[in-house]
Amino acid sequence: MSRAVFPGTFDPPTVGHLDIVTRAAAAFDEVIVAAGVNQSKNRLFSPDERVEMLTELAAPFGNVRIGTFEGLLVDYCRAEDAGVIVKGLRSAADYDYELQMAQLNRAMTGVDTVFLPTRAENAFISSSWVKEIARLGGDVSSFVTPAVHSRLLKKL
């Protein structure tokens, strides 16, 4: 069975994240969407809120489940018996950064990384930009699902 982990902060999850989940779910027997939990980081949404949003996002997929991790991603992969990390790439800058992480993860534990390039229409979407635009009163409804949009508006 091929099991992959799609890690991120997902603060909040975007339609770009949904695209990667959709494509990973088609490529692997099981996908774990793993929200990183770092208590020292200040996030807009709590870990529980992010898990709730990701659970709603993953509901249509029978082979996707949600998890959380703290510490090294490769330790989480080992604990979940996942041999692959899935990363979405928006740009060459993402690739340069993620390639080094992938090589390091492979050297440390043998866990491979699969890169999925984002669809062109999602290449500019990031959780950080979504939050910033929403804070300034901009319309981000096309960048997140309706359920996430509702939660984002309530939070801000």
Side-chain angles (χ1 to χ4, degrees), residues 67-122:
T68 60
F69 73 97
E70 192 167 2
L72 291 176
L73 174 60
V74 290
D75 289 342
Y76 180 77
C77 290
R78 202 175 306 144
E80 291 290 341
D81 196 29
V84 177
I85 297 168
V86 173
K87 291 290 191 127
L89 298 177
R90 294 171 296 185
S91 68
D94 283 352
Y95 177 76
D96 288 342
Y97 175 78
E98 295 294 349
L99 178 62
Q100 290 178 337
M101 297 249 316
Q103 291 167 330
L104 185 60
N105 288 338
R106 174 84 176 136
M108 288 172 49
T109 63
V111 174
D112 276 317
T113 301
V114 171
F115 296 125
L116 294 177
T118 188
R119 300 171 88 169
E121 61 266 26
N122 297 332

